[in-house]
Amino acid sequence: MNAYPTPHINATPEDFAKTVLMPGDPLRSKFIAENYLENARLINNVRGIHGYTGTYRGIKVSVMASGMGMPSIGIYSYELYNFFGVENILRVGSAGAMREDIKVRDIVLGMGACTNSGFGAQYALPGAFAPIADFSLLECAVKRCKEAGARYHVGNLLSSDTFYGDDAEASKNWMKMGVMAVEMEAAALYMNAARAGKRALAICTVSDHIITGEATSAEERQNSFTQMMEIALGVACDMD
């Protein structure tokens, strides 16, 4: 019996490319499809989570939103990996810088993803699992960043369950461990990829700065982080 369509994705495996770009915002998914993909077609819109497939420089590529937070990306990435035959998911999102040497609009590549989430408890491991990116995707992303002349950083992200945290000192404790930036999805994506034997990488643009307070607008986050999008599309081509 087919496991698709699911309650969240009304499509078939043939609708998806091997590589999916996954922004959090459905409007960013729409922006990528309309501005970068040729012959893009809407393949999913359940709950307003726009999913499209088209071609980029002759390569079949999909883009679909994940929504916000680990439970949401956990659902969509699990289904894409396990039911729809997707091999690579590239998170293209925003993050808050947690180091002074990282500037707003820099790109951060999540080699690892720390988390304050209980997402990993489901695996009943006798210890703490370290969620990491796939090296082949990371290597391609670094190459693409260099070719684009992008300001980029490679290291640990923090995937947080809380946007409005009650502990004002929590960020400082992560900073002392050298964590680059905070976002809300990468750790769950990396764990799902590990469990499914698939590949994942988070490529994020710094949208705001935890230390300085500098920030970009919602419209800028939706439409102007084009360098990150182009780097991810380049990685998708490398994986074909």
PDB file of all heavy atoms in Angstrom, residues 62-103:
ATOM      1  N   SER A  62      13.235  20.622  -6.527  1.00  0.00           N
ATOM      2  CA  SER A  62      11.990  20.952  -5.828  1.00  0.00           C
ATOM      3  C   SER A  62      12.275  21.937  -4.709  1.00  0.00           C
ATOM      4  O   SER A  62      13.381  21.995  -4.169  1.00  0.00           O
ATOM      5  CB  SER A  62      11.342  19.689  -5.247  1.00  0.00           C
ATOM      6  OG  SER A  62      10.968  18.786  -6.262  1.00  0.00           O
ATOM      7  N   VAL A  63      11.260  22.695  -4.358  1.00  0.00           N
ATOM      8  CA  VAL A  63      11.334  23.588  -3.200  1.00  0.00           C
ATOM      9  C   VAL A  63      10.003  23.507  -2.480  1.00  0.00           C
ATOM     10  O   VAL A  63       8.943  23.560  -3.108  1.00  0.00           O
ATOM     11  CB  VAL A  63      11.674  25.044  -3.624  1.00  0.00           C
ATOM     12  CG1 VAL A  63      10.711  25.564  -4.672  1.00  0.00           C
ATOM     13  CG2 VAL A  63      11.684  25.973  -2.407  1.00  0.00           C
ATOM     14  N   MET A  64      10.055  23.297  -1.160  1.00  0.00           N
ATOM     15  CA  MET A  64       8.821  23.219  -0.371  1.00  0.00           C
ATOM     16  C   MET A  64       9.071  23.760   1.019  1.00  0.00           C
ATOM     17  O   MET A  64      10.120  23.494   1.617  1.00  0.00           O
ATOM     18  CB  MET A  64       8.309  21.782  -0.285  1.00  0.00           C
ATOM     19  CG  MET A  64       6.893  21.702   0.274  1.00  0.00           C
ATOM     20  SD  MET A  64       6.220  20.030   0.271  1.00  0.00           S
ATOM     21  CE  MET A  64       6.924  19.414   1.795  1.00  0.00           C
ATOM     22  N   ALA A  65       8.128  24.508   1.530  1.00  0.00           N
ATOM     23  CA  ALA A  65       8.274  25.101   2.855  1.00  0.00           C
ATOM     24  C   ALA A  65       8.210  24.027   3.941  1.00  0.00           C
ATOM     25  O   ALA A  65       7.633  22.955   3.747  1.00  0.00           O
ATOM     26  CB  ALA A  65       7.189  26.145   3.091  1.00  0.00           C
ATOM     27  N   SER A  66       8.792  24.355   5.089  1.00  0.00           N
ATOM     28  CA  SER A  66       8.768  23.437   6.232  1.00  0.00           C
ATOM     29  C   SER A  66       7.895  23.934   7.370  1.00  0.00           C
ATOM     30  O   SER A  66       7.604  23.183   8.297  1.00  0.00           O
ATOM     31  CB  SER A  66      10.186  23.241   6.788  1.00  0.00           C
ATOM     32  OG  SER A  66      10.640  24.417   7.437  1.00  0.00           O
ATOM     33  N   GLY A  67       7.486  25.212   7.326  1.00  0.00           N
ATOM     34  CA  GLY A  67       6.874  25.797   8.506  1.00  0.00           C
ATOM     35  C   GLY A  67       7.938  26.091   9.554  1.00  0.00           C
ATOM     36  O   GLY A  67       9.134  25.892   9.331  1.00  0.00           O
ATOM     37  N   MET A  68       7.492  26.555  10.713  1.00  0.00           N
ATOM     38  CA  MET A  68       8.430  26.951  11.768  1.00  0.00           C
ATOM     39  C   MET A  68       8.582  25.875  12.834  1.00  0.00           C
ATOM     40  O   MET A  68       7.589  25.285  13.264  1.00  0.00           O
ATOM     41  CB  MET A  68       7.956  28.254  12.427  1.00  0.00           C
ATOM     42  CG  MET A  68       8.107  29.468  11.553  1.00  0.00           C
ATOM     43  SD  MET A  68       7.783  31.014  12.465  1.00  0.00           S
ATOM     44  CE  MET A  68       6.013  30.886  12.729  1.00  0.00           C
ATOM     45  N   GLY A  69       9.822  25.636  13.241  1.00  0.00           N
ATOM     46  CA  GLY A  69      10.092  24.777  14.377  1.00  0.00           C
ATOM     47  C   GLY A  69      10.362  23.332  14.019  1.00  0.00           C
ATOM     48  O   GLY A  69      10.058  22.855  12.924  1.00  0.00           O
ATOM     49  N   MET A  70      10.939  22.619  14.992  1.00  0.00           N
ATOM     50  CA  MET A  70      11.336  21.234  14.769  1.00  0.00           C
ATOM     51  C   MET A  70      10.160  20.284  14.571  1.00  0.00           C
ATOM     52  O   MET A  70      10.243  19.377  13.728  1.00  0.00           O
ATOM     53  CB  MET A  70      12.264  20.777  15.890  1.00  0.00           C
ATOM     54  CG  MET A  70      13.682  21.270  15.659  1.00  0.00           C
ATOM     55  SD  MET A  70      14.841  20.931  16.998  1.00  0.00           S
ATOM     56  CE  MET A  70      14.520  22.356  18.030  1.00  0.00           C
ATOM     57  N   PRO A  71       9.049  20.411  15.284  1.00  0.00           N
ATOM     58  CA  PRO A  71       7.929  19.516  14.994  1.00  0.00           C
ATOM     59  C   PRO A  71       7.450  19.627  13.548  1.00  0.00           C
ATOM     60  O   PRO A  71       7.121  18.614  12.922  1.00  0.00           O
ATOM     61  CB  PRO A  71       6.849  19.971  15.982  1.00  0.00           C
ATOM     62  CG  PRO A  71       7.605  20.555  17.120  1.00  0.00           C
ATOM     63  CD  PRO A  71       8.774  21.255  16.485  1.00  0.00           C
ATOM     64  N   SER A  72       7.449  20.847  13.006  1.00  0.00           N
ATOM     65  CA  SER A  72       6.951  21.048  11.647  1.00  0.00           C
ATOM     66  C   SER A  72       7.923  20.486  10.607  1.00  0.00           C
ATOM     67  O   SER A  72       7.545  19.677   9.754  1.00  0.00           O
ATOM     68  CB  SER A  72       6.702  22.535  11.396  1.00  0.00           C
ATOM     69  OG  SER A  72       6.063  22.735  10.147  1.00  0.00           O
ATOM     70  N   ILE A  73       9.201  20.877  10.667  1.00  0.00           N
ATOM     71  CA  ILE A  73      10.156  20.337   9.702  1.00  0.00           C
ATOM     72  C   ILE A  73      10.348  18.840   9.930  1.00  0.00           C
ATOM     73  O   ILE A  73      10.639  18.091   8.993  1.00  0.00           O
ATOM     74  CB  ILE A  73      11.510  21.077   9.736  1.00  0.00           C
ATOM     75  CG1 ILE A  73      12.280  20.814   8.429  1.00  0.00           C
ATOM     76  CG2 ILE A  73      12.343  20.686  10.956  1.00  0.00           C
ATOM     77  CD1 ILE A  73      13.522  21.666   8.260  1.00  0.00           C
ATOM     78  N   GLY A  74      10.133  18.396  11.165  1.00  0.00           N
ATOM     79  CA  GLY A  74      10.224  16.972  11.455  1.00  0.00           C
ATOM     80  C   GLY A  74       9.209  16.170  10.667  1.00  0.00           C
ATOM     81  O   GLY A  74       9.512  15.091  10.141  1.00  0.00           O
ATOM     82  N   ILE A  75       7.989  16.684  10.557  1.00  0.00           N
ATOM     83  CA  ILE A  75       6.936  16.007   9.795  1.00  0.00           C
ATOM     84  C   ILE A  75       7.265  16.012   8.305  1.00  0.00           C
ATOM     85  O   ILE A  75       7.271  14.966   7.644  1.00  0.00           O
ATOM     86  CB  ILE A  75       5.574  16.675  10.033  1.00  0.00           C
ATOM     87  CG1 ILE A  75       5.086  16.411  11.458  1.00  0.00           C
ATOM     88  CG2 ILE A  75       4.539  16.187   9.016  1.00  0.00           C
ATOM     89  CD1 ILE A  75       3.868  17.224  11.858  1.00  0.00           C
ATOM     90  N   TYR A  76       7.549  17.199   7.754  1.00  0.00           N
ATOM     91  CA  TYR A  76       7.728  17.305   6.311  1.00  0.00           C
ATOM     92  C   TYR A  76       8.982  16.570   5.832  1.00  0.00           C
ATOM     93  O   TYR A  76       8.938  15.872   4.810  1.00  0.00           O
ATOM     94  CB  TYR A  76       7.749  18.771   5.879  1.00  0.00           C
ATOM     95  CG  TYR A  76       6.393  19.416   6.025  1.00  0.00           C
ATOM     96  CD1 TYR A  76       6.148  20.367   7.005  1.00  0.00           C
ATOM     97  CD2 TYR A  76       5.340  19.041   5.191  1.00  0.00           C
ATOM     98  CE1 TYR A  76       4.901  20.938   7.154  1.00  0.00           C
ATOM     99  CE2 TYR A  76       4.082  19.603   5.329  1.00  0.00           C
ATOM    100  CZ  TYR A  76       3.867  20.553   6.311  1.00  0.00           C
ATOM    101  OH  TYR A  76       2.617  21.098   6.452  1.00  0.00           O
ATOM    102  N   SER A  77      10.085  16.713   6.561  1.00  0.00           N
ATOM    103  CA  SER A  77      11.307  16.030   6.114  1.00  0.00           C
ATOM    104  C   SER A  77      11.171  14.519   6.265  1.00  0.00           C
ATOM    105  O   SER A  77      11.643  13.754   5.404  1.00  0.00           O
ATOM    106  CB  SER A  77      12.532  16.548   6.876  1.00  0.00           C
ATOM    107  OG  SER A  77      12.431  16.320   8.272  1.00  0.00           O
ATOM    108  N   TYR A  78      10.510  14.050   7.314  1.00  0.00           N
ATOM    109  CA  TYR A  78      10.299  12.609   7.482  1.00  0.00           C
ATOM    110  C   TYR A  78       9.523  12.047   6.289  1.00  0.00           C
ATOM    111  O   TYR A  78       9.889  11.006   5.727  1.00  0.00           O
ATOM    112  CB  TYR A  78       9.535  12.330   8.778  1.00  0.00           C
ATOM    113  CG  TYR A  78       9.374  10.847   9.066  1.00  0.00           C
ATOM    114  CD1 TYR A  78      10.266  10.182   9.896  1.00  0.00           C
ATOM    115  CD2 TYR A  78       8.336  10.105   8.482  1.00  0.00           C
ATOM    116  CE1 TYR A  78      10.132   8.818  10.140  1.00  0.00           C
ATOM    117  CE2 TYR A  78       8.200   8.753   8.717  1.00  0.00           C
ATOM    118  CZ  TYR A  78       9.103   8.113   9.554  1.00  0.00           C
ATOM    119  OH  TYR A  78       8.972   6.759   9.779  1.00  0.00           O
ATOM    120  N   GLU A  79       8.453  12.728   5.929  1.00  0.00           N
ATOM    121  CA  GLU A  79       7.641  12.229   4.823  1.00  0.00           C
ATOM    122  C   GLU A  79       8.398  12.285   3.500  1.00  0.00           C
ATOM    123  O   GLU A  79       8.325  11.338   2.691  1.00  0.00           O
ATOM    124  CB  GLU A  79       6.341  13.021   4.753  1.00  0.00           C
ATOM    125  CG  GLU A  79       5.440  12.753   5.954  1.00  0.00           C
ATOM    126  CD  GLU A  79       4.085  13.442   5.875  1.00  0.00           C
ATOM    127  OE1 GLU A  79       3.828  14.165   4.877  1.00  0.00           O
ATOM    128  OE2 GLU A  79       3.275  13.257   6.810  1.00  0.00           O
ATOM    129  N   LEU A  80       9.141  13.359   3.262  1.00  0.00           N
ATOM    130  CA  LEU A  80       9.896  13.455   2.012  1.00  0.00           C
ATOM    131  C   LEU A  80      10.940  12.352   1.908  1.00  0.00           C
ATOM    132  O   LEU A  80      11.091  11.719   0.856  1.00  0.00           O
ATOM    133  CB  LEU A  80      10.566  14.828   1.905  1.00  0.00           C
ATOM    134  CG  LEU A  80       9.630  16.018   1.676  1.00  0.00           C
ATOM    135  CD1 LEU A  80      10.415  17.319   1.713  1.00  0.00           C
ATOM    136  CD2 LEU A  80       8.875  15.884   0.347  1.00  0.00           C
ATOM    137  N   TYR A  81      11.660  12.104   2.995  1.00  0.00           N
ATOM    138  CA  TYR A  81      12.686  11.054   2.982  1.00  0.00           C
ATOM    139  C   TYR A  81      12.089   9.656   2.868  1.00  0.00           C
ATOM    140  O   TYR A  81      12.580   8.822   2.112  1.00  0.00           O
ATOM    141  CB  TYR A  81      13.507  11.115   4.273  1.00  0.00           C
ATOM    142  CG  TYR A  81      14.521  12.220   4.373  1.00  0.00           C
ATOM    143  CD1 TYR A  81      14.708  12.905   5.588  1.00  0.00           C
ATOM    144  CD2 TYR A  81      15.330  12.577   3.305  1.00  0.00           C
ATOM    145  CE1 TYR A  81      15.657  13.910   5.710  1.00  0.00           C
ATOM    146  CE2 TYR A  81      16.279  13.588   3.429  1.00  0.00           C
ATOM    147  CZ  TYR A  81      16.434  14.250   4.618  1.00  0.00           C
ATOM    148  OH  TYR A  81      17.380  15.229   4.753  1.00  0.00           O
ATOM    149  N   ASN A  82      11.043   9.398   3.618  1.00  0.00           N
ATOM    150  CA  ASN A  82      10.565   8.028   3.775  1.00  0.00           C
ATOM    151  C   ASN A  82       9.428   7.628   2.847  1.00  0.00           C
ATOM    152  O   ASN A  82       9.260   6.430   2.572  1.00  0.00           O
ATOM    153  CB  ASN A  82      10.135   7.801   5.232  1.00  0.00           C
ATOM    154  CG  ASN A  82      11.312   7.836   6.192  1.00  0.00           C
ATOM    155  OD1 ASN A  82      12.093   6.898   6.258  1.00  0.00           O
ATOM    156  ND2 ASN A  82      11.454   8.938   6.925  1.00  0.00           N
ATOM    157  N   PHE A  83       8.664   8.606   2.353  1.00  0.00           N
ATOM    158  CA  PHE A  83       7.515   8.278   1.515  1.00  0.00           C
ATOM    159  C   PHE A  83       7.639   8.763   0.078  1.00  0.00           C
ATOM    160  O   PHE A  83       7.005   8.211  -0.816  1.00  0.00           O
ATOM    161  CB  PHE A  83       6.221   8.864   2.109  1.00  0.00           C
ATOM    162  CG  PHE A  83       5.954   8.458   3.530  1.00  0.00           C
ATOM    163  CD1 PHE A  83       5.308   9.313   4.404  1.00  0.00           C
ATOM    164  CD2 PHE A  83       6.336   7.206   4.007  1.00  0.00           C
ATOM    165  CE1 PHE A  83       5.041   8.941   5.719  1.00  0.00           C
ATOM    166  CE2 PHE A  83       6.088   6.829   5.316  1.00  0.00           C
ATOM    167  CZ  PHE A  83       5.445   7.697   6.176  1.00  0.00           C
ATOM    168  N   PHE A  84       8.447   9.803  -0.146  1.00  0.00           N
ATOM    169  CA  PHE A  84       8.483  10.422  -1.469  1.00  0.00           C
ATOM    170  C   PHE A  84       9.822  10.266  -2.189  1.00  0.00           C
ATOM    171  O   PHE A  84      10.022  10.854  -3.252  1.00  0.00           O
ATOM    172  CB  PHE A  84       8.093  11.906  -1.371  1.00  0.00           C
ATOM    173  CG  PHE A  84       6.654  12.100  -0.979  1.00  0.00           C
ATOM    174  CD1 PHE A  84       6.305  12.274   0.350  1.00  0.00           C
ATOM    175  CD2 PHE A  84       5.649  12.077  -1.928  1.00  0.00           C
ATOM    176  CE1 PHE A  84       4.979  12.438   0.728  1.00  0.00           C
ATOM    177  CE2 PHE A  84       4.316  12.227  -1.559  1.00  0.00           C
ATOM    178  CZ  PHE A  84       3.979  12.408  -0.232  1.00  0.00           C
ATOM    179  N   GLY A  85      10.743   9.513  -1.620  1.00  0.00           N
ATOM    180  CA  GLY A  85      11.985   9.189  -2.312  1.00  0.00           C
ATOM    181  C   GLY A  85      13.010  10.296  -2.396  1.00  0.00           C
ATOM    182  O   GLY A  85      13.972  10.204  -3.167  1.00  0.00           O
ATOM    183  N   VAL A  86      12.851  11.361  -1.614  1.00  0.00           N
ATOM    184  CA  VAL A  86      13.813  12.466  -1.630  1.00  0.00           C
ATOM    185  C   VAL A  86      15.109  12.030  -0.957  1.00  0.00           C
ATOM    186  O   VAL A  86      15.098  11.368   0.084  1.00  0.00           O
ATOM    187  CB  VAL A  86      13.211  13.707  -0.931  1.00  0.00           C
ATOM    188  CG1 VAL A  86      14.261  14.791  -0.717  1.00  0.00           C
ATOM    189  CG2 VAL A  86      12.041  14.240  -1.749  1.00  0.00           C
ATOM    190  N   GLU A  87      16.241  12.386  -1.537  1.00  0.00           N
ATOM    191  CA  GLU A  87      17.557  11.999  -1.016  1.00  0.00           C
ATOM    192  C   GLU A  87      18.247  13.117  -0.252  1.00  0.00           C
ATOM    193  O   GLU A  87      18.977  12.865   0.708  1.00  0.00           O
ATOM    194  CB  GLU A  87      18.468  11.550  -2.173  1.00  0.00           C
ATOM    195  CG  GLU A  87      18.005  10.297  -2.885  1.00  0.00           C
ATOM    196  CD  GLU A  87      18.083   9.071  -1.990  1.00  0.00           C
ATOM    197  OE1 GLU A  87      19.009   8.994  -1.160  1.00  0.00           O
ATOM    198  OE2 GLU A  87      17.199   8.194  -2.115  1.00  0.00           O
ATOM    199  N   ASN A  88      18.051  14.365  -0.688  1.00  0.00           N
ATOM    200  CA  ASN A  88      18.769  15.505  -0.105  1.00  0.00           C
ATOM    201  C   ASN A  88      17.788  16.616   0.244  1.00  0.00           C
ATOM    202  O   ASN A  88      16.962  16.991  -0.593  1.00  0.00           O
ATOM    203  CB  ASN A  88      19.783  16.078  -1.105  1.00  0.00           C
ATOM    204  CG  ASN A  88      20.624  15.019  -1.769  1.00  0.00           C
ATOM    205  OD1 ASN A  88      21.338  14.283  -1.106  1.00  0.00           O
ATOM    206  ND2 ASN A  88      20.542  14.936  -3.100  1.00  0.00           N
ATOM    207  N   ILE A  89      17.891  17.133   1.459  1.00  0.00           N
ATOM    208  CA  ILE A  89      17.112  18.312   1.834  1.00  0.00           C
ATOM    209  C   ILE A  89      18.075  19.403   2.282  1.00  0.00           C
ATOM    210  O   ILE A  89      18.928  19.194   3.146  1.00  0.00           O
ATOM    211  CB  ILE A  89      16.092  18.011   2.943  1.00  0.00           C
ATOM    212  CG1 ILE A  89      15.044  17.008   2.447  1.00  0.00           C
ATOM    213  CG2 ILE A  89      15.406  19.307   3.399  1.00  0.00           C
ATOM    214  CD1 ILE A  89      14.009  16.621   3.485  1.00  0.00           C
ATOM    215  N   LEU A  90      17.936  20.557   1.646  1.00  0.00           N
ATOM    216  CA  LEU A  90      18.742  21.729   1.974  1.00  0.00           C
ATOM    217  C   LEU A  90      17.841  22.758   2.644  1.00  0.00           C
ATOM    218  O   LEU A  90      16.961  23.336   1.989  1.00  0.00           O
ATOM    219  CB  LEU A  90      19.353  22.327   0.713  1.00  0.00           C
ATOM    220  CG  LEU A  90      20.262  21.407  -0.106  1.00  0.00           C
ATOM    221  CD1 LEU A  90      20.589  22.041  -1.449  1.00  0.00           C
ATOM    222  CD2 LEU A  90      21.544  21.106   0.667  1.00  0.00           C
ATOM    223  N   ARG A  91      18.004  22.930   3.948  1.00  0.00           N
ATOM    224  CA  ARG A  91      17.255  23.981   4.632  1.00  0.00           C
ATOM    225  C   ARG A  91      17.831  25.319   4.222  1.00  0.00           C
ATOM    226  O   ARG A  91      19.047  25.545   4.317  1.00  0.00           O
ATOM    227  CB  ARG A  91      17.334  23.794   6.150  1.00  0.00           C
ATOM    228  CG  ARG A  91      16.895  25.036   6.913  1.00  0.00           C
ATOM    229  CD  ARG A  91      16.539  24.788   8.346  1.00  0.00           C
ATOM    230  NE  ARG A  91      16.667  25.989   9.153  1.00  0.00           N
ATOM    231  CZ  ARG A  91      15.917  27.092   9.026  1.00  0.00           C
ATOM    232  NH1 ARG A  91      15.001  27.146   8.083  1.00  0.00           N
ATOM    233  NH2 ARG A  91      16.106  28.133   9.809  1.00  0.00           N
ATOM    234  N   VAL A  92      17.004  26.228   3.727  1.00  0.00           N
ATOM    235  CA  VAL A  92      17.431  27.581   3.379  1.00  0.00           C
ATOM    236  C   VAL A  92      16.603  28.537   4.224  1.00  0.00           C
ATOM    237  O   VAL A  92      15.444  28.809   3.926  1.00  0.00           O
ATOM    238  CB  VAL A  92      17.284  27.865   1.864  1.00  0.00           C
ATOM    239  CG1 VAL A  92      18.402  27.199   1.090  1.00  0.00           C
ATOM    240  CG2 VAL A  92      15.943  27.408   1.311  1.00  0.00           C
ATOM    241  N   GLY A  93      17.195  29.000   5.303  1.00  0.00           N
ATOM    242  CA  GLY A  93      16.434  29.781   6.265  1.00  0.00           C
ATOM    243  C   GLY A  93      17.210  30.950   6.820  1.00  0.00           C
ATOM    244  O   GLY A  93      18.252  31.344   6.295  1.00  0.00           O
ATOM    245  N   SER A  94      16.698  31.497   7.888  1.00  0.00           N
ATOM    246  CA  SER A  94      17.325  32.625   8.568  1.00  0.00           C
ATOM    247  C   SER A  94      17.806  32.173   9.942  1.00  0.00           C
ATOM    248  O   SER A  94      17.314  31.191  10.500  1.00  0.00           O
ATOM    249  CB  SER A  94      16.350  33.793   8.691  1.00  0.00           C
ATOM    250  OG  SER A  94      15.169  33.385   9.354  1.00  0.00           O
ATOM    251  N   ALA A  95      18.769  32.906  10.473  1.00  0.00           N
ATOM    252  CA  ALA A  95      19.346  32.576  11.777  1.00  0.00           C
ATOM    253  C   ALA A  95      19.808  33.840  12.461  1.00  0.00           C
ATOM    254  O   ALA A  95      20.086  34.853  11.809  1.00  0.00           O
ATOM    255  CB  ALA A  95      20.518  31.602  11.613  1.00  0.00           C
ATOM    256  N   GLY A  96      19.890  33.784  13.784  1.00  0.00           N
ATOM    257  CA  GLY A  96      20.372  34.907  14.571  1.00  0.00           C
ATOM    258  C   GLY A  96      21.813  34.681  14.992  1.00  0.00           C
ATOM    259  O   GLY A  96      22.124  33.683  15.647  1.00  0.00           O
ATOM    260  N   ALA A  97      22.706  35.590  14.627  1.00  0.00           N
ATOM    261  CA  ALA A  97      24.134  35.435  14.927  1.00  0.00           C
ATOM    262  C   ALA A  97      24.385  35.481  16.428  1.00  0.00           C
ATOM    263  O   ALA A  97      23.781  36.273  17.153  1.00  0.00           O
ATOM    264  CB  ALA A  97      24.946  36.517  14.233  1.00  0.00           C
ATOM    265  N   MET A  98      25.317  34.624  16.883  1.00  0.00           N
ATOM    266  CA  MET A  98      25.671  34.558  18.297  1.00  0.00           C
ATOM    267  C   MET A  98      27.171  34.767  18.516  1.00  0.00           C
ATOM    268  O   MET A  98      27.668  34.506  19.603  1.00  0.00           O
ATOM    269  CB  MET A  98      25.233  33.205  18.879  1.00  0.00           C
ATOM    270  CG  MET A  98      23.737  32.960  18.774  1.00  0.00           C
ATOM    271  SD  MET A  98      23.226  31.339  19.386  1.00  0.00           S
ATOM    272  CE  MET A  98      23.279  31.599  21.162  1.00  0.00           C
ATOM    273  N   ARG A  99      27.865  35.236  17.472  1.00  0.00           N
ATOM    274  CA  ARG A  99      29.286  35.555  17.583  1.00  0.00           C
ATOM    275  C   ARG A  99      29.546  36.923  16.975  1.00  0.00           C
ATOM    276  O   ARG A  99      28.942  37.287  15.973  1.00  0.00           O
ATOM    277  CB  ARG A  99      30.145  34.510  16.858  1.00  0.00           C
ATOM    278  CG  ARG A  99      30.230  33.200  17.559  1.00  0.00           C
ATOM    279  CD  ARG A  99      31.276  32.227  17.005  1.00  0.00           C
ATOM    280  NE  ARG A  99      31.838  32.551  15.722  1.00  0.00           N
ATOM    281  CZ  ARG A  99      32.159  31.628  14.798  1.00  0.00           C
ATOM    282  NH1 ARG A  99      31.934  30.341  15.029  1.00  0.00           N
ATOM    283  NH2 ARG A  99      32.700  31.977  13.646  1.00  0.00           N
ATOM    284  N   GLU A 100      30.492  37.656  17.575  1.00  0.00           N
ATOM    285  CA  GLU A 100      30.751  39.021  17.112  1.00  0.00           C
ATOM    286  C   GLU A 100      31.363  39.060  15.723  1.00  0.00           C
ATOM    287  O   GLU A 100      31.203  40.047  15.000  1.00  0.00           O
ATOM    288  CB  GLU A 100      31.659  39.739  18.112  1.00  0.00           C
ATOM    289  CG  GLU A 100      30.968  40.036  19.444  1.00  0.00           C
ATOM    290  CD  GLU A 100      31.849  40.807  20.403  1.00  0.00           C
ATOM    291  OE1 GLU A 100      33.038  41.026  20.060  1.00  0.00           O
ATOM    292  OE2 GLU A 100      31.363  41.183  21.486  1.00  0.00           O
ATOM    293  N   ASP A 101      32.081  38.012  15.318  1.00  0.00           N
ATOM    294  CA  ASP A 101      32.722  38.016  13.997  1.00  0.00           C
ATOM    295  C   ASP A 101      31.743  37.701  12.875  1.00  0.00           C
ATOM    296  O   ASP A 101      32.101  37.809  11.702  1.00  0.00           O
ATOM    297  CB  ASP A 101      33.878  37.014  13.959  1.00  0.00           C
ATOM    298  CG  ASP A 101      33.413  35.574  14.183  1.00  0.00           C
ATOM    299  OD1 ASP A 101      32.737  35.323  15.199  1.00  0.00           O
ATOM    300  OD2 ASP A 101      33.738  34.710  13.352  1.00  0.00           O
ATOM    301  N   ILE A 102      30.525  37.313  13.202  1.00  0.00           N
ATOM    302  CA  ILE A 102      29.504  37.008  12.195  1.00  0.00           C
ATOM    303  C   ILE A 102      28.583  38.218  12.067  1.00  0.00           C
ATOM    304  O   ILE A 102      28.099  38.748  13.060  1.00  0.00           O
ATOM    305  CB  ILE A 102      28.716  35.751  12.586  1.00  0.00           C
ATOM    306  CG1 ILE A 102      29.657  34.536  12.639  1.00  0.00           C
ATOM    307  CG2 ILE A 102      27.579  35.497  11.599  1.00  0.00           C
ATOM    308  CD1 ILE A 102      29.004  33.259  13.109  1.00  0.00           C
ATOM    309  N   LYS A 103      28.359  38.643  10.832  1.00  0.00           N
ATOM    310  CA  LYS A 103      27.586  39.848  10.567  1.00  0.00           C
ATOM    311  C   LYS A 103      26.227  39.516   9.963  1.00  0.00           C
ATOM    312  O   LYS A 103      26.033  38.448   9.381  1.00  0.00           O
ATOM    313  CB  LYS A 103      28.352  40.763   9.595  1.00  0.00           C
ATOM    314  CG  LYS A 103      29.790  41.050  10.001  1.00  0.00           C
ATOM    315  CD  LYS A 103      29.897  41.710  11.363  1.00  0.00           C
ATOM    316  CE  LYS A 103      31.348  42.004  11.735  1.00  0.00           C
ATOM    317  NZ  LYS A 103      31.456  42.528  13.130  1.00  0.00           N
TER     318      LYS A 103
END
